[in-house]
Amino acid sequence: MGFFGTYAYEHGSWKTLSEGELPPLAEPFLWIDIHDSDITSVVYAPAGPGAGVAYLGLTPRTYFENPNASDPTDVLREAAGLAAWWASQNSGGDVTAKQAELLAFLAEDEDPNAFEWDESENVDEIDDGEVFVEVKTRRFLAALDLPLPDGLS
């Protein structure tokens, strides 16, 4: 069984929520929902040029092998939206550099049948952030210059 956790960042601090709970939040906010160490859903507002929803690890469409599990992803758009969100929290900054940094964390829709295990790959050399989405989420939050919520540190 993987890691599950739901957290909301508003008014400068984190609160832990029930799994999948997205209550009304005051802008600016960032909500993260970690599902089974495989998907982190990120909902943020204001969305700026983004749609306000991004994923780390896998997208629901890929994970559940169902194109109706989530809207199609546009990682460039969401990286721009998240960089704008970051800039609003940090009195500006190099938004272009932040967008490029955040882009590396975001999940794109993939064909779930396209995964092939490389038998020659040394499993000891695989980065934990590529296996456990909670590790990637911690790194993502650090890139946003946010503290970690209790339970995720």
Side-chain angles (χ1 to χ4, degrees), residues 5-8 14-18 21 149-151:
T6 304
Y7 310 94
W14 287 102
K15 61 182 168 185
T16 301
L17 304 171
S18 299
E21 175 189 10
D150 290 339

Side-chain angles (χ1 to χ4, degrees), residues 3 6 38 55 73 108 111 119:
F3 181 88
T6 304
D38 291 315
Y55 301 99
T73 57
E108 294 186 78
D111 178 358
E119 295 290 333

Side-chain angles (χ1 to χ4, degrees), residues 14 18 69 73 76 117 120 153:
W14 287 102
S18 299
T73 57
L76 292 175
W117 177 257
S120 66
S153 26

